[in-house]
Amino acid sequence: MRGFLFSLKSDKSNYYICKTFDKTMQYKRILLKLSGEALMGDRQYGIDPKRLKEYAQEIKEVVDRGIEVAIVIGGGNIFRGVAGASQGMDRVQGDHMGMLATCINGLALQSALEDTGVYTRLQTAIEIKEIAEPYIKRRAIRHLEKGRVVIFGAGTGNPYFTTDTAAVLRAIEINADAILKGTRVDGIYDVDPEKNKNAVKFETITFKDVIEKGLKVMDMTAFTLSEENNLPIIVFDMNTKGNLLKLVSGEQIGTIVDNE
Ligand code: GTP
């Protein structure tokens, strides 16, 4: 019996405890979109272990409040070097490499989350089943209900689609309350805040206004998919400690894009 209990606790992937949902929270189920570049920290490419650990800690704080968290992560930190070295490469070939890059980041994030005591499952849109589970919508939802963080790798599994589109698609499929796009800027501005110090930040803005004003939030495929399915997008600064928890608690963090 002792041996059995020990084996349960020592297996980071299979043992889980459902945290009770903190009813003061604004969102019950979120999809967090992280860019691959964000994982670089101060590096030129690859993964900064310190940044990875910080992100895992931020995510743990919301999981501990009983919030169901799914994650889509980009691959730009790994793929960009390859892209530079292979100018003129076939687009489909390049996109396949990008999909593999998101799986590498997914594995790294999974490991970092499990080190902080968060239970996770990695599901991929292309089959690499010796490494990760295949994407199955119903199974992903079941994992979320059991308090596991589900990381979706390999984008949509199709070339010509970005990881932003993958994030919106998965968010709609799993019925997420919102998509939280973690970036290094703290929201959407009328002009580029890095170039113009008089830039004004929007607290909320409609999908229609974003298009009319020509602001850049996501690529059009991702953006219109979100608009058509009434899925709010919240753009916020993921690099400021505590922001993710504040956001899901209902504090005014970042910019909310919604239909009204
Ligand atoms: P529950 O049945 O809800 O407890 O979910 P579970 O994910 O624990 O069930 P399962 O027995 O299917 O999975 C056990 C472990 O195997 C988990 O760590 C899964 O991520 C992993 N796993 C399941 N299917 C696959 C797969 O196709 N490929 C890989 N690499 N791992 C898998």
Side-chain angles (χ1 to χ4, degrees):
M1 187 63 183
R2 269 187 88 185
F4 172 67
L5 278 178
F6 177 74
S7 70
L8 262 184
K9 285 190 174 156
S10 64
D11 182 342
K12 290 180 194 164
S13 66
N14 276 336
Y15 187 67
Y16 65 87
I17 306 165
C18 272
K19 310 278 180 189
T20 314
F21 178 56
D22 177 345
K23 293 204 176 74
T24 63
M25 296 288 120
Q26 176 91 4
Y27 302 102
K28 170 80 178 119
R29 179 177 293 167
I30 58 166
L31 190 137
L32 178 63
K33 165 72 202 327
L34 298 173
S35 76
E37 282 87 352
L39 290 190
M40 295 194 297
D42 297 327
R43 297 171 176 225
Q44 295 300 306
Y45 64 90
I47 299 170
D48 174 13
K50 187 169 156 280
R51 174 57 61 81
L52 197 60
K53 207 169 164 185
E54 286 164 2
Y55 277 8
Q57 200 55 47
E58 295 291 298
I59 295 163
K60 182 184 185 332
E61 284 188 15
V62 298
V63 173
D64 283 347
R65 302 293 193 290
I67 289 159
E68 297 173 6
V69 182
I71 302 174
V72 168
I73 186 156
N77 54 323
I78 294 164
F79 177 61
R80 205 165 48 184
V82 180
S86 49
Q87 297 282 323
M89 179 184 284
D90 174 60
R91 167 77 195 261
V92 176
Q93 197 83 345
D95 283 353
H96 284 156
M97 292 165 77
M99 286 178 213
L100 294 176
T102 69
C103 296
I104 294 173
N105 284 336
L107 285 165
L109 190 59
Q110 176 171 45
S111 189
L113 283 167
E114 288 186 345
D115 279 346
T116 67
V118 172
Y119 304 100
T120 66
R121 292 293 184 265
L122 173 63
Q123 293 197 339
T124 55
I126 47 170
E127 263 200 32
I128 38 171
K129 63 180 183 338
E130 284 73 13
I131 294 175
E133 295 178 22
Y135 170 66
I136 299 168
K137 179 201 135 165
R138 283 166 183 267
R139 201 162 181 203
I141 290 174
R142 197 73 194 109
H143 288 322
L144 291 169
E145 288 168 350
K146 288 184 173 178
R148 298 164 180 153
V149 169
V150 182
I151 305 166
F152 297 119
T156 66
N158 299 100
Y160 298 98
F161 290 95
T162 62
T163 47
D164 273 351
T165 302
V168 175
L169 177 65
R170 294 293 181 246
I172 296 164
E173 286 184 280
I174 64 164
N175 260 319
D177 299 322
I179 173 159
L180 277 48
K181 186 174 157 85
T183 64
R184 59 197 170 90
V185 285
D186 64 350
I188 302 168
Y189 286 77
D190 57 347
V191 286
D192 186 347
E194 286 171 357
K195 292 185 187 141
N196 189 333
K197 65 178 171 46
N198 296 321
V200 179
K201 188 178 125 186
F202 297 99
E203 287 196 351
T204 58
I205 186 165
T206 61
F207 284 99
K208 203 163 149 266
D209 281 350
V210 168
I211 295 170
E212 272 174 19
K213 292 181 198 298
L215 304 171
K216 184 125 184 48
V217 178
M218 285 180 175
D219 63 274
M220 278 315 258
T221 311
F223 195 76
T224 51
L225 189 61
S226 209
E227 181 184 20
E228 281 166 12
N229 289 279
N230 281 317
L231 176 75
I233 303 171
I234 302 156
V235 179
F236 75 106
D237 174 11
M238 180 70 191
N239 296 339
T240 301
K241 202 171 174 308
N243 257 3
L244 182 61
L245 180 60
K246 283 185 187 160
L247 200 166
V248 296
S249 310
E251 268 188 54
Q252 174 55 55
I253 299 283
T255 301
I256 304 178
V257 188
D258 210 342
N259 267 324
E260 67 227 17

